[in-house]
Amino acid sequence: GITVTVDTCGFAPYENFRRILPYVDTFLYDIKTMDNDVHKKYMGMGNEQILKNLEYISGKGARIYIRIPVVREVNGSIEDMGAIIDYLKEKQIRVANVNLLPYHNTGSGKYEKLGLTYQGADLHAPSNDEMEQFVTLFKEAGFHNVKIGG
């Protein structure tokens, strides 16, 4: 009788997803970029395992909200969004919702207080017009529950 939602980047051993799947109602699943080299550069690891886990839970019928943190310099182009759309369609990922999350640096001020350098100073959110273009791309590709924010 308890609703369980898991918010994940998907980087975990396959076995973990296999074990929890029967107990999870919804996965909030991040896709950052389809480009493995870009993923390694900005996230510190490749995306192979992340994508395989997504394919697994989708194949088992999981309810999935795809969440895409959108950063202009990382994945904020029509081509980048198109690659994500192509992947979702090719792999027949069961997508309940798509949430496009514009980049923000809200926590950047905390780094200075901790004596650290904020590594994202050169990163930016796409414009509102660009975000609306991404929404349109997803809707035109057949994803009907698409929104900016999450």
Side-chain angles (χ1 to χ4, degrees):
I2 297 173
T3 300
V4 176
T5 300
V6 173
D7 187 349
T8 182
C9 73
F11 188 72
Y14 154 83
E15 177 62 21
N16 292 3
F17 284 96
R18 188 192 67 72
R19 284 184 308 157
I20 68 169
L21 190 58
Y23 309 104
V24 177
D25 297 292
T26 304
F27 287 90
L28 306 180
Y29 207 101
D30 289 4
I31 294 181
K32 290 157 174 122
T33 178
M34 296 310 302
D35 185 314
N36 197 44
D37 292 331
V38 171
H39 203 280
K40 285 178 186 175
K41 177 180 177 180
Y42 288 100
M43 272 47 82
M45 82 278 294
N47 61 2
E48 301 97 337
Q49 184 173 5
I50 293 164
L51 298 176
K52 290 293 180 197
N53 286 333
L54 177 58
E55 293 163 24
Y56 170 73
I57 65 171
S58 177
K60 293 295 185 180
R63 183 172 190 222
I64 303 168
Y65 286 25
I66 296 296
R67 295 166 51 90
I68 306 170
V70 186
V71 182
R72 180 179 286 140
E73 295 80 6
V74 178
N75 64 354
S77 72
I78 297 292
E79 294 77 21
D80 292 316
M81 290 299 138
I84 293 171
I85 290 167
D86 291 346
Y87 166 79
L88 294 172
K89 291 182 79 157
E90 177 186 325
K91 297 298 183 176
Q92 298 179 5
I93 303 300
R94 297 169 43 97
V95 178
N97 285 333
V98 175
N99 297 102
L100 301 171
L101 311 171
Y103 173 76
H104 63 79
N105 64 356
T106 305
S108 62
K110 295 178 183 179
Y111 283 76
E112 186 177 329
K113 292 177 183 176
L114 294 170
L116 301 172
T117 302
Y118 181 62
Q119 300 293 322
D122 295 331
L123 301 177
H124 304 90
S127 69
N128 290 338
D129 286 344
E130 289 169 315
M131 292 299 293
E132 289 297 339
Q133 283 182 319
F134 300 150
V135 169
T136 300
L137 277 180
F138 275 91
K139 287 185 175 181
E140 288 176 350
F143 297 93
H144 301 292
N145 296 321
V146 182
K147 70 176 187 172
I148 297 171

